[in-house]
Amino acid sequence: MCQPIKKYLTASLPNAHPLHTYGSVRKRVKCSFIYTYIHIGSESTIKIKMQFMLLFSRQGKLRLQKWYVPLSDKERKKISRDLVQTILARKPKMCSFLEWRDLKIVYKRYASLYFCCAVEDQDNELITLEIIHRYVELLDKYFGSVCELDIIFNFEKAYFILDEFLLGGEAQETSKKNVLKAIEQADLLQEEAEAPRSVLEEIGLT
Amino acid sequence: MSPSVRLQEMIRVIRGARTQGEERGVIQRECAAIRAQFRQADNGTRSHNLAKLLYVHMLGYPAHFGQMECVRLIASPRYNEKRVGYLGAMMLLDEKQDASLLITNSIKNDLSHNSQYVQSLALCTLACMGSAEMCRDLAPEIDRLLRASNSYIKKKAALCAVHIVRKVPDLGELFTPAARSLLCEKNHGVLHGAVVLITELCERNPDTLEQFLWKNAPVVPELVQIMKGLVMSGYSPEHNVAGISDPFLQVRILRLLRILGRNNDTASDAMNDLLAQVATNTDSSKTAGSAVLYETVLTVMDIKSESGLRVLAVNILGRFLLNNDRNIRYISMTSLQKIVQTDHNAVQRHRGTIVDCLKDQDASVKRRALELSLALVSAVNIRSLMKELLLFLSSCPPELRAHTTSGIFNAAERYAPSQRWHIDTILHVLTTAGGDVRDETVPNLIQLITTATELHCYTVHKLYRALITDISVQSLVQVACWCIGEYGDLLLRGECEETEPVQVTEDDVLDALETVLQSHMSSPATRGFALTATMKLSTRITHNVDRIRSIVSIYGSCIDVELQQRAVEYNALFKKYDHMRYRGSVCGAPSVIEAKLPECKSPVPSSGLSHTVPGPATSTSGGDLLDLLGGLDVSPAPPSVKVYEKNGVTLKLQTDSQTDTGMTITLTATNSTDGDITSLTLQAAVPKVCFGLPGCLCILYSTLVSDEMGCPDWCFSTQVQPCFQNSWDSL
């Protein structure tokens, strides 16, 4: 009974690659597409929880990309392109979860932006949806009614906020207030660091 | 002008570009300017230039020249430059780049910086792109931070340790003591980090798992306490999400409990109450609550929980199935799929809802529902479930069709309540989705029909009807042609008990077959079936033999070599061996000698063979037969059968051995006359059921020398290879 199911699944994933390399510590560095499993010598297959997060517009332009697995630029571009196309092809009422090349993709659309996370197989997709929602709330609080333009023109700030909320693909702080407070402090520090320089510039002493 | 406006200005200009070429031009100019700036001495604009470069990189343009700048900026004493520098490192560098090693030292220094925000930058970068070497270098630092710092840094250090353990699992032992002590913290962020770290340590190393269970002050009771606190606490504004207090932490704790309780009875016992409490008290109207419930269900299913708890978990999943939110339906079916083998009965209760999900709009939900439905098929519900599956097949998306048909066939094979039902189901599938079935379906179906002897009449009537309706589905047409060829006499008789008989004349039947032969939709294999069927009918009909003869002779000059060969040989049958046509079993009733088709499960019952014994008798001449098949018997100890005894010549046949691919038959010929008998022609016809072709014809010429002269009888064995051979190979 398993036979036809497996056959079907691999047939429907056009770029399914065999993934197993048993033996000593090895990393799949050369694969051109998804790099999902890192075999660490023992029998178990350890999976990274969140592999990457992408934000893109309805026209398919990337607004933010955070990668938690080492992949070359070329590979990243290919993955982004394919995934973006797959998600944009989905209809509005469809499920927020899809299986794509051995990964689970959790995505949600907020206004004109798609927020998309790729998680490994064992994860709880619903909590990933909550993570996405929390990030949107943080952006909203920080920018005040955030819209896509805010993220375009202040992309580095969007990254800073993400880095205060997620670390290595895991949530680091579960309290909204604390995250925003930390960002505020960091921003203050940044302003202080910049300020003396611009004063000096104004005077003309560089 | 504030420096960051320069960045925003550039972004505005780039967005204002109307064509791709214009954009590229703007970007090239900017990149040139940035490169020039990088080469100059420090002039305070480095961070902004790098930020600009990062934007350009995000648009998809190359930015390698920024890598060294990142390294320089990270080493800068100013916070704003460090911040952008680290961001650049995370975006442009990864562990495969050589430049990434250069930042190891900076990270090390920054980990001991007196500003916690600088430390946090270093921790974040290490956790995002730290290579194995960097991790090994910096692990002691991280351990130090885990023990003696404020909660802001502790939580980040914990997650950094997680990354290190993933990269270099041996370092797990280093972090184990610190991880344990972190569980006493009150800060949710630190707790969360600690739980994630302990989860990672336990997953990787079963020894560490043991440690956490028994030594080091057992962890399970403490986790249970924390969890209870979260569930029973009142409203806490800081951590509240839709009425659930810190769902992120709850989910992580549940996951850790799952790992701890997995193969451990004592630990599982300790958790039972808590899990029941969470399951009953969590409000699942919003996603956060559902996420916690979902994790609880997964944990209950994985540990050694008591049966009451398992039933509770399955009921929760059942409730999820009825939820309006499609996401929740989807994940509930995913989980039910995992447990359908172990808790089959519990899942069966929700069969109705699952089958309803087959009609959902979403393709992912449909796929899950299909797999689950196929897993739920059992002897009890086969009839009703098959109805639903067939309904689904008629409207299912094309990518699921092949899977559905093979699932239906498997289910039908295992649980068919009757042969008639089985045949009906397969025919239904062929009519609906004949293009998506596997290749073995045709021989399997033919096999099935042959063994269902009492249904031949019913089957041939049904197939005839299907044939005249539509000849585009090749598999169906092939089976129909074969059936008409075999049981055409039953069709022509015009009476049937189980179904409304079709009143056809011989011409109608021949018309139908000829249509198949001539249609451009028919594949060469289908044409072969049709031609053979036409030929076979020549023994079953009385009036139109000439018509058949003319059809067959036309195809003697067909372009398709296979068809041509057949037609020529059938023609030969008409001309030279007309007497054989009736007597021999070339066109007679089939014998299913070879039983080993690739997918065949059961050997051919000898009842099928006994059907053939009267077969030759029904053809026009009974009497003197050189009927190889009438003498053969597939039963274990076949006796020697005397097939011919006349004029002093006696022929005996004995089946010696039968293997999967071959059968040895020994023919003993005795001449008890006075003279020699010359030009003894022996023709043995072994029809092959699997492809509906007439079988191997072996023509053996021999001289049977008179017994009187004391010569030995002629004994020879022939190997009959039933399967996979061209119909006319001589042996």
Side-chain angles (χ1 to χ4, degrees), chain B residues 676-687:
Chain B
D676 296 343
I677 294 180
T678 56
S679 307
L680 180 71
T681 310
L682 201 70
Q683 290 172 326
V686 181

Side-chain angles (χ1 to χ4, degrees), chain B residues 216 336 437 448:
Chain B
N216 279 16
L336 285 172
V437 299
L448 183 62

Side-chain angles (χ1 to χ4, degrees), chain B residues 18 25 27 168 200 224 258 265 335 384 397 586 598 657 682 701:
Chain B
R18 261 161 295 170
I27 288 181
V168 188
E200 196 67 35
V224 168
R258 179 154 89 234
D265 287 321
S335 335
S384 48
V586 174
S657 63
L682 201 70
Y701 295 92

Side-chain angles (χ1 to χ4, degrees), chain B residues 636-713:
Chain B
S640 169
V641 181
K642 208 178 280 185
V643 292
Y644 186 87
E645 193 168 2
K646 199 174 164 183
N647 300 335
V649 177
T650 315
L651 292 170
K652 286 203 196 102
L653 282 170
Q654 166 101 25
T655 320
D656 281 336
S657 63
Q658 182 183 352
T659 63
D660 278 2
T661 52
M663 177 188 279
T664 311
I665 302 164
T666 309
L667 171 78
T668 314
T670 321
N671 177 8
S672 39
T673 63
D674 287 342
D676 296 343
I677 294 180
T678 56
S679 307
L680 180 71
T681 310
L682 201 70
Q683 290 172 326
V686 181
K688 292 188 290 193
V689 175
C690 58
F691 300 110
L693 309 167
C696 308
L697 207 75
C698 54
I699 303 168
L700 311 148
Y701 295 92
S702 65
T703 304
L704 205 57
V705 179
S706 163
D707 204 19
E708 252 188 359
M709 297 176 60
C711 290
D713 304 335

Side-chain angles (χ1 to χ4, degrees), chain A residues 8 46 93 95-96 99, chain B residues 204 326-327 362 368 399:
Chain A
Y8 168 71
I46 313 297
K93 288 284 185 191
C95 207
S96 279
E99 278 140 33
Chain B
R204 296 211 170 232
R326 194 170 267 133
N327 295 334
D362 190 327
R368 288 264 159 259
E399 62 267 13

